[in-house]
Amino acid sequence: MRWGIVGFGWVARDYMAPGIAASGGTLVAIADPSPMAQASAMSGGILAYDTAEAMLADAALDCLYIATPNNLHADPVRAAVAAGVPVLCEKPIAATLDDAEAIGASVAGHLYGTAFDQRHHPAHRAMAQAIRDGAIGRPIAVRIVYACWVDPSWSPTAGEGGCNWRADPAAAGGGAVIDLALHGLDLAAMLVDEPLARLHIDLQRRIHDYPVDDGGILSGRTAGGILVQSHVAYNCPEVLPRRRLEILGEDGLLVATDTMGQTEGGTVIRRCARTGDETALPFDAALSPFAAQAAAFAAAVRGDAHDFSIDRDLSLMRLFDAAYSEARSCL
């Protein structure tokens, strides 16, 4: 499977590119106007272009991954559609709901996936299967903590400068909440196999001096009445516990520690409601969510059954946008 990447920043370079290789695919080309990004790609024998259009016109690709800032998703998506190349685009779909709706219209009839990598983490897939198998009885609530430290000048790599587009409201569409919370909301719906029906958000701009939220609490419920709660933050020091996922059921509790995020591994424990006994839930701890996601999208390109859905992702974006807009008006 021959891949191209648009936007060769740290997530694409450090996580998706290795994930493509681990899935058996080949990264053929990247499109990024940054000389540093192009030099990094070419040092590994990868073709480099300034634009998605130039790359798609010249390189033979089977699928495309987009990891630009959120406000720059639309043009490469449209270019991929015009070239007939399936496209996997980072979340959120776009920085604004209007742009997300436009992208949704542009990919009608075309294979498109939003890169919600957390739904592909082997630990989370194992948890979803355990819930379907009745391991905790009827689900009652999903609780998530997904936090990190991202200050105004944060950069993942020395030398990349002090510009953090994730704290730029125009480029990102918001702050910590739009960046982190959608992962958990999508994951919660996947785990309990029910879409969210209601959502409320409270925001904070508590620690960092930038014009977007640096933390937030989200609460809601699924169509069937399962409660969902998520705390996301850019203001949590990374030496502290900051990645936890719990699913409470009438017969037990599933607790995942250090599974939320870009890396493989973590632990999942099931606690029995009757005895209090704890047992580990097995999963492939060596498989990263990015490798699993790349493999799943490659299988979809080959025509296999898959769970990528622009309609589902747009429904979540609409629900999120309404709650996020109300929350920002109160910040």
Side-chain angles (χ1 to χ4, degrees), residues 171-197:
V177 170
I178 196 169
D179 186 32
L180 301 175
L182 283 161
H183 270 310
L185 298 179
D186 173 75
L187 177 59
M190 187 275 284
L191 287 168
V192 301
D193 197 26
E194 285 186 17
L196 282 168

Side-chain angles (χ1 to χ4, degrees), residues 6-21:
V6 183
F8 202 54
W10 70 284
V11 170
R13 181 191 64 234
D14 296 348
Y15 295 105
M16 189 60 181
I20 288 169

Side-chain angles (χ1 to χ4, degrees), residues 163-330:
C163 179
N164 175 17
W165 66 260
R166 290 170 179 80
D168 179 340
V177 170
I178 196 169
D179 186 32
L180 301 175
L182 283 161
H183 270 310
L185 298 179
D186 173 75
L187 177 59
M190 187 275 284
L191 287 168
V192 301
D193 197 26
E194 285 186 17
L196 282 168
R198 295 183 59 184
L199 183 65
H200 175 79
I201 303 174
D202 281 303
L203 301 175
Q204 65 179 173
R205 194 161 60 232
R206 179 75 173 168
I207 301 298
H208 297 312
D209 184 21
Y210 45 49
V212 292
D213 52 277
D214 63 0
I217 292 284
L218 300 90
S219 61
R221 54 172 284 170
T222 70
I226 300 168
L227 301 179
V228 176
Q229 179 189 62
S230 174
H231 171 218
V232 297
Y234 279 171
N235 55 30
C236 177
E238 300 205 1
V239 297
L240 300 177
R242 59 187 181 84
R243 296 189 293 160
R244 185 177 175 92
L245 166 65
E246 298 181 353
I247 302 94
L248 173 66
E250 60 182 333
D251 296 331
L253 177 71
L254 289 172
V255 180
T257 304
D258 293 337
T259 60
M260 300 288 294
Q262 293 98 346
T263 55
E264 68 277 5
T267 61
V268 182
I269 299 296
R270 176 189 176 271
R271 185 161 190 167
C272 178
R274 288 187 298 103
T275 65
D277 292 343
E278 292 186 349
T279 55
L281 187 69
F283 63 92
D284 185 351
L287 180 63
S288 82
F290 282 84
Q293 177 179 243
F297 195 73
V301 173
R302 295 186 184 102
D304 293 350
H306 63 85
D307 62 357
F308 297 98
S309 170
I310 183 60
D311 292 336
R312 178 196 64 220
D313 299 342
L314 274 174
S315 292
L316 176 59
M317 187 74 178
R318 293 174 189 130
L319 185 70
F320 174 84
D321 182 75
Y324 199 34
S325 296
E326 180 181 2
R328 283 184 293 186
S329 71
C330 301

Side-chain angles (χ1 to χ4, degrees), residues 80-102:
V81 172
V85 176
V87 58
L88 178 66
C89 180
E90 266 300 333
K91 56 77 219 164
I93 302 170
T96 69
L97 180 59
D98 285 347
D99 282 353
E101 298 282 9

